Amino acid sequence: MTTSPTPPPAQWVPQHLVEDALAASTADDCLVVVDASTSANLRWANSTLTTNGVMGRSDVTVVSFVERDEGVASASVTGTAATTEQVLALVAQADAAAAQSEAAPDAAPLVQGPASLDWHDLPEQTDIDVYRDVAPALGQAFARATSGGRVLYGFVDHEVTTTYLGSSTGLRLRHVQPSGHWGCTAKPDDLSASAWVGGATRDFSDVDVDAMERTLERRLAWAQRRVDLPAGRYDTVLPPGAVADLMIHAYWDSSARAADDGRSAYARPGGGTRIGEQLAHPSVHLWSDPRHPGLESRPFVVASSSSEVSSVFDNGLPLEETSWISEGRLTSLLQTRETAALTGQPVTPAIDNLLLSVDGATGGEAELVGDLEHGLLLTCLWYMRTVDAQTLLLTGLTRDGVYLVEGGEVVGAVNNFRFNESPLDLLARFSAAGATVPSFGREWGDVFSRTATPALRVPDFHMSSVSAAL
């Protein structure tokens, strides 16, 4: 089946929508963000392509600001809009809502600055041709899997979003963000086991389909021997993707406001944040950098609404490399200008990538397994949720392959588990690490794909119960 493309109207020019909206607003100030996106995808099941499609959309956010004696009120409205009439309807809604709102606690002067040099460029796009090498390679992988008694299920997705941000204070910013990810699950013909691999990419030129299928073949071969193990604490190798999922939780939960209010693992007993405290092993560094090669992300703030980690007044603030943990010490938390004034710390807004490194770490998952006398190798984590925000204790499930390691060799597949762990505790007690590599979290990678993390070996990873899931 092929899904129908939905191109925007021929007269559609995002910059015109921004200017029309700013001109129409009756508020004291106005800010408009247009995200122009195209995406292309392939899906397959039972080693056969089932769906492909190309889609386009335009999402518009209008933020209106109204001055009051006691401050500035704001209101934002977001919707899908591709015509001037549709955008002006959003402007009218935002203006009306702002007129009825009270002064905002996060009010601050709107960002000013010159227009980006590429402001007048049209949106960049993707199409099905992004899979010109992947699609034929998938056909070969399907044939090889079928001849080997395996079936493959999976998808690839590529999206290019061009963001236009304009304000009544003269700001005109543009950014192009390509994002892609892929995942494939393999099962033997009798469906008695499963294995998964996945990854992130900017343009699919670096996706090796043959290597993907060979990895799945090897993991299903491991699963020909099944070993049942009880719940308990196991010396466990976490692959970079599982580490990414855990670190994303640690990052998303690092609100300075929550810490200052005593509501998170980053809160100091008695009040204030734990910035400056030793949270992890001294070799650990966790940071974000919108210009990191291969993981480039938008270098300015875009906030469609205000929360404790974002402020519509901060729209357009430049983003720079930000250290969250350095030499094991907590160095920064997610800060708006409002919370930075509250905590007395620098303004450190959220950035759309995350990197973790361990000083001196080399090799990878294979080397960590080779040094493991008795323990487990995970494939990925799944369905992760917060159990206790005060300690950042998470629970979740293993999925599509947990393997028993004896004497440095994988000797079989074991049952799945539910786990209970805190990512901050793991960073303090891991016993070995690999080199930092691009990674893809099975749980959160489709919404936060720009991560680079090492594999970690944790000596007492807590498998709290056995899961009946295959």
Side-chain angles (χ1 to χ4, degrees), residues 312-360:
V312 293
F313 292 89
D314 291 349
N315 271 302
L317 279 180
L319 297 172
E320 304 294 342
E321 179 177 349
T322 302
S323 171
W324 311 110
I325 295 176
S326 178
E327 297 181 343
R329 291 186 181 277
L330 181 65
T331 51
S332 305
L333 295 168
L334 296 177
Q335 302 262 20
T336 65
R337 282 185 289 180
E338 178 197 13
T339 64
L342 180 70
T343 61
Q345 298 289 335
V347 180
T348 47
I351 298 171
D352 200 20
N353 65 18
L354 187 67
L355 302 99
L356 174 72
S357 70
V358 177
D359 288 341

Side-chain angles (χ1 to χ4, degrees), residues 1 27 234 385 394 410 423:
M1 183 180 75
Y234 291 92
R385 297 294 183 268
L394 307 177
V410 176

Side-chain angles (χ1 to χ4, degrees), residues 193-248:
S194 64
W196 174 86
V197 293
T201 178
R202 289 173 65 86
D203 57 13
F204 280 89
S205 64
D206 54 351
V207 176
D208 187 337
V209 175
D210 181 66
M212 174 191 81
E213 208 279 324
R214 297 295 184 192
T215 299
L216 293 169
E217 178 185 23
R218 181 172 70 254
R219 291 179 177 178
L220 286 184
W222 289 343
Q224 290 178 0
R225 180 194 177 206
R226 164 78 180 217
V227 180
D228 290 325
L229 291 178
R233 291 185 178 272
Y234 291 92
D235 205 346
T236 301
V237 173
L238 304 175
V243 174
D245 266 331
L246 290 162
M247 292 306 111
I248 289 170

Side-chain angles (χ1 to χ4, degrees), residues 248-317:
I248 289 170
H249 259 288
Y251 180 48
W252 283 350
D253 287 354
S254 64
S255 156
R257 170 60 67 88
D260 198 63
D261 290 348
R263 294 185 282 111
S264 81
Y266 300 102
R268 177 177 295 143
T273 75
R274 298 178 67 186
I275 290 177
E277 288 190 16
Q278 193 80 31
L279 296 188
H281 190 278
S283 62
V284 168
H285 307 273
L286 184 71
W287 78 101
S288 299
D289 180 359
R291 296 174 180 80
H292 188 86
L295 298 178
E296 294 90 345
S297 62
R298 191 173 51 230
F300 53 86
V301 171
V302 171
S304 59
S305 61
S306 291
S307 69
E308 64 181 26
V309 294
S310 66
S311 169
V312 293
F313 292 89
D314 291 349
N315 271 302
L317 279 180

